[in-house]
Amino acid sequence: MLKSGVVMSSVRWKIESESEVDSTNALVLERARLCAPEGLVISALSQTNGRGRLGRTWHSPPESGLYFSILLRPPVEVEQTALMSLIAGVAAAEGLADLTGVSVGLKWPNDLRIGGKKTGGILCEYEKSGGPPPAVVVGVGINLETPPGEFPEEFRARTTSLEEAGAAIEADEALGAILERLDYWYREFLANGFEPVMRRWEALCDNLGGKITLSTANDAIEGKMVGIDMTGRLLLEPPGGDIRAFDSGEVLEA
Ligand code: BTN
């Protein structure tokens, strides 16, 4: 159970800016092992080995995107730490929308999308040593002005950037806007539990009620995207069947 009711003051962000790194997630995980406190943020102008979900590479060329990782140490039970990735998704979507006026949607678990095309992603990684509390490293990558030709061929048609959506913004202002919303939603989660986040996540989800296919390690399940549950699982309703909950997989659309 979540230890709800925790009243927390604002997170003290300590931002370190690097030029080229292999992966900001790798750097923050290393610092977590060395007992770095909550609030450390490492951002980089480019990454040579940016990590994505499902073992993919996150293409991170210079002068194109925002790449950063945050260290949090949420005082919750270990099974609740995975919720941080959905909390970060809500914060990033809101931060970018507040700054640009462009509507930014979410696709489960935490793809950031504009007009149904991916413009950012989040990868959370976990580290027990250097705690307690254990560390959650929230890695965020945003395509700010990535030219379409820079995206890997297989993702090109489903990917966009904020610039392409008519919203040219600086990396620093995007980082500030996202951290501001993350501070809000993190404290809301600690004070009142996951439900308010879940409701907001569903309001931001851009394919709620739509037909999807969930691709898992051994299966592809079709159905309607009906929301998420209190543990962050995807809720899918197969045609004529009961709603099922999934904690992993990739959502594909027609
Ligand atoms: C995804 O696959 O959608 C998640 C991508 C997350 C990429 C970010 S970029 C900053 C941070 N460092 C990494 O190596 N990965 C994350």
Side-chain angles (χ1 to χ4, degrees):
M1 279 290 292
L2 174 72
K3 293 170 197 154
S4 284
V6 176
V7 178
M8 213 183 86
S9 52
S10 289
V11 180
R12 285 167 185 254
W13 304 119
K14 179 177 176 288
I15 302 173
E16 298 183 8
S17 305
E18 301 287 343
S19 49
E20 183 177 272
V21 303
D22 66 340
S23 153
T24 57
N25 265 32
L27 288 183
V28 174
L29 280 166
E30 198 178 302
R31 296 281 286 277
R33 285 190 281 274
L34 298 171
C35 307
E38 172 164 277
L40 172 68
V41 180
I42 299 185
S43 79
L45 297 178
S46 67
Q47 300 181 113
T48 53
N49 190 23
R51 304 173 183 171
R53 282 187 69 235
L54 308 170
R56 293 186 178 132
T57 297
W58 186 259
H59 190 57
S60 316
E63 291 169 26
S64 297
L66 170 63
Y67 320 109
F68 68 98
S69 301
I70 302 162
L71 173 57
L72 294 173
R73 295 189 180 278
V76 297
E77 302 297 337
V78 77
E79 58 274 18
Q80 300 276 331
T81 53
L83 295 173
M84 286 313 304
S85 97
L86 294 141
I87 296 166
V90 167
E94 283 192 354
L96 294 174
D98 287 353
L99 194 61
T100 62
V102 171
S103 169
V104 179
L106 292 170
K107 184 186 94 163
W108 190 85
N110 46 29
D111 278 4
L112 299 158
R113 303 206 299 183
I114 297 176
K117 292 183 172 187
K118 183 160 175 167
T119 193
I122 294 170
L123 174 70
C124 286
E125 298 186 76
Y126 307 91
E127 180 58 58
K128 272 197 229 141
S129 66
V136 181
V137 174
V138 181
V140 184
I142 312 283
N143 304 326
L144 293 179
E145 46 189 303
T146 321
E150 286 269 7
F151 298 121
E153 177 76 51
E154 74 260 40
F155 300 123
R156 206 165 286 169
R158 290 178 279 130
T159 310
T160 190
S161 68
L162 279 148
E163 184 180 62
E164 198 175 23
I169 49 171
E170 295 296 324
D172 283 359
E173 45 180 6
L175 175 60
I178 294 170
L179 291 180
E180 195 268 318
R181 295 318 292 154
L182 183 61
D183 181 55
Y184 171 84
W185 281 110
Y186 183 45
R187 289 188 294 130
E188 174 69 7
F189 166 62
L190 294 179
N192 297 314
F194 188 60
E195 187 160 1
V197 186
M198 183 175 79
R199 298 283 160 238
R200 187 66 184 131
W201 190 97
E202 288 182 339
L204 289 167
C205 175
D206 66 3
N207 62 355
L208 197 73
K211 194 177 164 203
I212 59 167
T213 300
L214 183 74
S215 168
T216 66
N218 359 308
D219 222 346
I221 307 113
E222 287 189 2
K224 188 164 84 171
M225 163 66 190
V226 293
I228 56 173
D229 69 8
M230 282 292 284
T231 62
R233 294 180 301 177
L234 169 80
L235 298 176
L236 185 151
E237 185 178 10
D242 293 334
I243 293 175
R244 294 173 61 187
F246 295 88
D247 59 12
S248 65
E250 183 171 26
V251 172
L252 308 171
E253 291 150 324

